[in-house]
Amino acid sequence: MCELYSKRDTLALRKKHIGPSCKVFFASDPIKIVRARRQYMFDENGEQYLDCINNVAHVGHCHPEVVKAALKQMELLNTNSRFLHDNIVEYAKRLSATLPEKLSVCYFTNSGSEANDLALRLARQFRGHQDVITLDHAYHGHLSSLIEVSPYKFQKGKDVKKEFVHVAPTPDTYRGKYREDHADPASAYADEVKKIIEDAHNSGRKIAAFIAESMQSCGGQIIPPAGYFQKVAKYVHGAGGVFIADEVQVGLGRVGKHFWSFQMDGEDFVPDIVTMGKPMGNGHPVACVVTTKEIAEAFSSSGMEYFNTYGGNPVSCAVGLAVLDIIENEDLQRNAMRVGNYLTELLKKQKAKHTLIGDIRGVGLFIGIDLVKDHLKRTPATAEAQHIIYKMKEKRVLLSADGPHRNVLKIKPPMCFTEEDAKFMVDQLDGVLTVLEEATGTKSESVTSENIPCKTKMLKEAHVELLRDSTTDSRENPSRKRNGMCADTHSLLSKRLKT
């Protein structure tokens, strides 16, 4: 393995030349990754890490068929999509075949952010409306137009919510407004959207779109209750708006049962616009917006040409086609279902054993572990989540934490993840949780929400000391990090000591 610089020099050069807002995983002790293969990553010393977070490397890091497809096309031609070429039309045809029939018109871009930005333009042009309904804690991209509709971002910065943006409650049945004991949480959450629409109309505003990730990722691996999207779409369509399904992080077979996550809401639910991102290129910069002919024609009628220089270029489309082939040839959608079910069952056994695990939720290879300090109050275990992430790194397993409280461990690995990988990951997690709970005196077997032991002052101090030892050099505030891996431990622990 060839390195230009030592790890120390790489860090120094990064600090000098890369913007300070561009953060790294594990800031107190970053990993220098020099190569990767399938679901494994390797540092400069040859140490192997199990990758449980890289959903972008959808079919596996450096898949030879993807590499071969890119190289073969790069040797022939790479140019913009104004020239006729078979790759773009073949790719559009193949993608459309995976979607409901009315979703048949494609616009290719280079990233999920570009795709979501274009989706908003399509929605606003359709009937001339401007307002957008988004979900709380949502993240849809880094462009200005998307930060405006991403509470995950604008609620943490100095930006204020724009007048044309309306935020609906996240359909979270574990920690949200309507929980698992509600008779009909899907209708209750959908009625919140209905009320937003009514209030907007009473103020003389018009709804252009409702945008949502089919399963919320940065918001904490949230799986909406069945029927929610279908009910929301009815209200949005009644207001003259369109439904945008953001599949950037959760599409292409990740849920196992279906190729697209929105399909979990039933055959009767079809979004008006679907967006996709870099997983469709296994990390290569390719993304797409797919919509209906009606919406596409309305966009064209504006008279403004849409041109994206390298969106849908021959190389990107060759890579995208290779990814589709691999998903089919290696049966990765079925693998996601089989391994995901196995992993979920293993994690549910850990939930019964460990008091820190409040909820296990997910579908296929998209799973969240919600960590709590109190099962009854569901108090987020933020500091504990950071401790666990660093300890798992020591065990050569890469995890991240997210959600509004940074207490949800996210599992979204490459689709080639195996049952052996799942068992290894859970065994390591079991060990880390056992040590943590023994040090804090919490019960670690036969857990029930009604019988959680109280911690004494002495045990709390032991807990603090253990967490301090795990991330003592960390300097990043997790509330400002998307990956949640860089904990400002001293700040977190000082807050814990005051409570």
Side-chain angles (χ1 to χ4, degrees):
M1 291 174 285
C2 180
E3 296 179 78
L4 292 175
Y5 307 104
S6 67
K7 180 176 177 178
R8 180 178 178 180
D9 288 344
T10 300
L11 281 167
L13 286 166
R14 183 178 176 108
K15 184 176 181 180
K16 180 178 180 181
H17 295 297
I18 305 300
S21 57
C22 300
K23 307 300 184 181
V24 296
F25 286 130
F26 307 107
S28 65
D29 183 25
I31 307 172
K32 185 175 183 180
I33 296 297
V34 298
R35 67 183 180 93
R37 178 68 64 174
R38 293 178 62 79
Q39 64 271 45
Y40 306 108
M41 305 183 83
F42 302 86
D43 67 14
E44 77 279 17
N45 298 315
E47 290 286 349
Q48 175 180 291
Y49 295 83
L50 177 61
D51 182 3
C52 300
I53 57 178
N54 263 302
N55 62 300
V56 172
H58 193 66
V59 298
H61 292 282
C62 305
H63 195 291
E65 293 301 315
V66 173
V67 174
K68 185 166 69 174
L71 178 60
K72 182 179 179 181
Q73 185 58 52
M74 287 179 75
E75 289 178 332
L76 291 174
L77 171 71
N78 200 21
T79 187
N80 69 63
S81 56
R82 281 181 168 172
F83 293 101
L84 279 177
H85 196 276
D86 288 343
N87 283 8
I88 189 171
V89 294
E90 175 65 11
Y91 192 28
K93 184 180 76 171
R94 290 275 302 276
L95 279 175
S96 298
T98 68
L99 291 157
E101 187 176 359
K102 78 170 191 175
L103 293 168
S104 60
V105 182
C106 299
Y107 296 87
F108 289 100
T109 67
N110 303 293
S111 71
S113 291
E114 282 189 9
N116 282 330
D117 176 76
L118 177 57
L120 293 179
R121 288 178 59 191
L122 289 166
R124 286 170 168 151
Q125 178 62 33
F126 185 48
R127 289 201 172 97
H129 301 177
Q130 290 300 311
D131 287 26
V132 177
I133 302 173
T134 187
L135 293 177
D136 202 6
H137 312 306
Y139 174 72
H140 294 291
H142 62 82
L143 302 181
S144 296
S145 63
L146 301 172
I147 291 174
E148 290 173 347
V149 299
S150 296
Y152 179 89
K153 287 291 186 182
F154 72 66
Q155 288 179 350
K156 294 183 176 68
K158 295 181 180 179
D159 295 336
V160 296
K161 184 177 76 65
K162 300 294 191 292
E163 189 178 10
F164 58 82
V165 175
H166 310 274
V167 180
T170 303
D172 179 358
T173 57
Y174 179 71
R175 197 180 291 284
K177 186 175 182 179
Y178 309 107
R179 299 187 174 183
E180 69 276 5
D181 57 352
H182 191 279
D184 187 1
S187 293
Y189 279 116
D191 285 344
E192 295 281 342
V193 177
K194 181 183 179 183
K195 185 177 186 305
I196 286 173
I197 293 171
E198 291 170 349
D199 290 346
H201 285 177
N202 291 338
S203 301
R205 308 197 68 86
K206 295 181 179 180
I207 303 300
F210 173 90
I211 184 170
E213 296 171 89
S214 300
M215 298 188 296
Q216 210 173 53
S217 180
C218 293
Q221 309 294 86
I222 304 301
I223 316 300
Y228 169 71
F229 285 144
Q230 194 170 42
K231 296 175 190 297
V232 167
K234 178 182 176 181
Y235 297 142
V236 172
H237 288 154
V242 302
F243 191 110
I244 302 170
D246 181 343
E247 292 270 338
V248 170
Q249 296 204 52
V250 296
L252 294 158
R254 179 161 292 278
V255 297
K257 278 188 175 182
H258 305 282
F259 201 77
W260 302 105
S261 296
F262 72 79
Q263 293 170 321
M264 291 191 297
D265 224 51
E267 293 182 3
D268 293 336
F269 169 63
V270 180
D272 303 290
I273 301 172
V274 175
T275 60
M276 312 162 193
K278 284 184 286 293
M280 64 193 292
N282 211 44
H284 181 88
V286 57
C288 189
V289 179
V290 187
T291 189
T292 66
K293 288 184 178 180
E294 186 183 10
I295 292 173
E297 286 169 0
F299 188 56
S300 179
S301 70
S302 70
M304 182 187 295
E305 177 189 4
Y306 176 73
F307 174 58
N308 188 317
T309 306
Y310 264 70
N313 69 75
V315 171
S316 293
C317 290
V319 167
L321 285 164
V323 169
L324 291 180
D325 288 340
I326 294 163
I327 293 171
E328 181 178 351
N329 295 338
E330 298 185 8
D331 207 10
L332 293 183
Q333 184 178 336
R334 190 189 300 257
N335 186 70
M337 181 168 62
R338 184 183 68 254
V339 177
N341 288 343
Y342 176 70
L343 176 54
T344 299
E345 286 304 311
L346 291 180
L347 290 171
K348 285 180 177 177
K349 291 177 181 177
Q350 294 301 309
K351 179 178 181 291
K353 180 179 179 181
H354 296 290
T355 60
L356 276 169
I357 299 178
D359 189 35
I360 302 295
R361 54 181 176 262
V363 186
L365 286 175
F366 183 86
I367 300 169
I369 307 172
D370 199 312
L371 301 177
V372 298
K373 291 184 283 189
D374 183 296
H375 275 235
L376 198 59
K377 296 179 181 178
R378 302 184 180 183
T379 310
T382 301
E384 291 84 349
Q386 305 308 312
H387 168 83
I388 289 166
I389 283 167
Y390 274 89
K391 287 298 179 183
M392 289 294 281
K393 187 196 87 161
E394 292 177 11
K395 305 289 186 181
R396 303 296 185 257
V397 177
L398 303 182
L399 287 173
S400 65
D402 222 323
H405 308 287
R406 295 300 187 272
N407 69 305
V408 180
L409 302 183
K410 297 170 66 173
I411 303 171
K412 46 188 182 70
M415 294 273 283
C416 50
F417 206 72
T418 67
E419 291 185 351
E420 290 75 19
D421 296 324
K423 181 69 163 55
F424 176 76
M425 189 216 80
V426 173
D427 285 348
Q428 305 314 305
L429 181 62
D430 181 27
V432 170
L433 287 170
T434 298
V435 171
L436 178 57
E437 289 173 341
E438 286 176 353
T440 58
T442 54
K443 193 174 179 181
S444 61
E445 58 180 304
S446 303
V447 174
T448 62
S449 61
E450 294 79 22
N451 184 29
I452 304 300
C454 294
K455 299 174 185 176
T456 64
K457 180 179 178 182
M458 182 175 68
L459 292 172
K460 283 184 179 178
E461 290 172 352
H463 192 182
V464 166
E465 188 64 33
L466 180 65
L467 295 174
R468 180 182 291 115
D469 289 344
S470 72
T471 53
T472 186
D473 294 326
S474 185
R475 295 292 181 270
E476 285 301 319
N477 183 346
S479 69
R480 305 299 292 243
K481 285 297 305 301
R482 177 174 181 181
N483 57 52
M485 286 189 165
C486 307
D488 185 347
T489 309
H490 299 301
S491 174
L492 282 168
L493 295 179
S494 66
K495 290 178 184 176
R496 289 174 61 80
L497 286 168
K498 291 175 185 175
T499 59

